[in-house]
Amino acid sequence: MNLQAQSYPGIFITFEGIDGAGKSTHINHFARKLQEKYPNKKIILTREPGGTDLGEKLRTELLNQPMHPETEVLLMFAARREHLAQVIEPALMSGDIVISDRFTDSSFAYQCGGRGISVTQLNTLENWVQGRTINGQAYEIQPNKTFLFDLSVEIAQKRREQTRTPDKFEQLDTNFFNLVRNEYLRRAEVFQNRIKIIDASLSIDDIQKIMDLEVGLL
Ligand code: ADP
Ligand code: TYD
C-alpha cells in the first residue's frame, strides 16, 4: 500500500461486520502483527461508537437507550466527529497507524440498510464529518483498508448467544441483520479496492492466517 496515498502520512484501517462475526477476536492479534512489521510506528487501537470520553458516553446511550432512527444516526456521527478530532486525525497527521473497530461503513450498514435512513442523508453526514480541505485541496478522511467479517446471520446469532447479554442492536431480529449484512456486501462490491471480505465462517486459526497474510500486504 502507498503510505502517502492520502493527504496525510498515517494509515487508517477498519474492521467491520455484523455483531458476532468475529471482529473483536481478531483485531488485537492483527494490531500486534502490524506492530511487528512496523516497529517504529505508533499503532492506535480504537472503536466506534466510542474512542473518546464523550464518544464512550454516547456509546452507552446508543447501545441501550431506544431512540428515533435519525437521532441514532446523528449521535453516531457526533461521536465520530469527536473521535476524528481527538484521536484519528492527529494520529494520521503524525504518521501513526489507526485501527478502528467499526467506522462509517457501520452507519451505512446499520442505519441505512437496517433502519432505512436514506443513503443521500448518510452521504451528507459523511461528507460533513469526514470532509477536509488541506492546502486548498478537498478530500474525505476514509479508511485505507477495511476488513469485512462476513458471516450468516444465523451463525453470528448462535455465537453471540453463547457469550453475551444482547445490547439494543443485538436484540434486533434476523430480518434486520440480513438487511445490515446485505448493505455491507453491497458496499464491498462498490468499494472493491478498499473493502476486503473475510469469510468469518472459517476457523479462528484459518482466519488468523488470512489476517497475517493481509499484514504482509500493508
Ligand atoms: P464481534 O466482535 O464481531 O461482535 P466476537 O469477536 O466477539 O465478534 O466473536 C463472537 C463470538 O464468536 C466469540 O465468543 C468468539 O470467541 C466466537 N468466534 C469468533 N470467531 C470465531 C470463529 N471463526 N469460529 C468460531 N467462533 C468464533
Ligand atoms: P460493537 O462495537 O460491535 O460491540 P460489541 O463489542 O458489543 O460487539 O457494537 C456496537 C454496535 O453499534 C453494533 O451493534 C453496531 C452499532 N453501530 C451502528 O449501528 N452504527 C454505527 O455507525 C456504529 C459505529 C455502530
Side-chain angles (χ1 to χ4, degrees), residues 27 94 105 113 119 125 129 157 181 183 194-195 200 216:
I27 204 164
S94 306
D105 291 310
V119 171
L125 286 171
V129 167
Q157 191 171 9
R181 183 187 185 198
E183 178 61 17
R194 172 173 68 86
I195 303 180

Side-chain angles (χ1 to χ4, degrees), residues 10 27 32 40 48 54 72 81 123 128 131 134 141 146 152 174 179 183 194 206 208 210-211 213:
I27 204 164
R32 266 199 310 280
N40 299 323
E48 288 206 349
L54 176 60
E72 186 176 277
R81 185 65 190 89
N123 285 336
W128 180 8
I134 291 188
I141 297 174
T146 296
S152 83
T174 357
L179 292 168
E183 178 61 17
R194 172 173 68 86
D206 282 349
Q208 209 164 80
I210 292 171
M211 297 310 289
L213 288 177

Side-chain angles (χ1 to χ4, degrees), residues 6 8 123 126-128 130-132 138-143:
Q6 310 278 349
Y8 42 77
N123 285 336
E126 181 182 40
N127 189 253
W128 180 8
Q130 291 161 236
R132 299 289 177 274
Y139 71 100
E140 259 181 20
I141 297 174
Q142 290 289 359

Side-chain angles (χ1 to χ4, degrees), residues 33-47:
K33 284 283 177 183
L34 206 54
Q35 186 74 79
E36 281 169 23
K37 179 168 179 185
Y38 292 111
N40 299 323
K41 285 223 173 250
K42 192 169 162 194
I43 296 188
I44 288 128
L45 201 49
T46 186
R47 69 172 181 181

Side-chain angles (χ1 to χ4, degrees), residues 16-20 23-24 47-50 59 62-63 72-73 76-77 80 101-111 115 160 164 167-170 176-177 184:
E16 295 283 356
I18 60 171
D19 297 75
K23 291 174 292 96
S24 313
R47 69 172 181 181
E48 288 206 349
R59 178 187 176 91
L62 281 160
L63 268 53
E72 186 176 277
V73 75
M76 289 290 179
F77 273 92
R80 183 162 298 133
D101 188 339
R102 300 191 180 282
F103 192 63
T104 301
D105 291 310
S106 283
S107 302
F108 278 95
Y110 284 75
Q111 278 67 51
R115 301 280 199 214
R160 292 199 306 271
R164 55 202 197 217
D167 63 33
K168 188 184 87 183
F169 289 99
E170 291 168 350
F176 177 86
F177 279 106
Y184 267 134

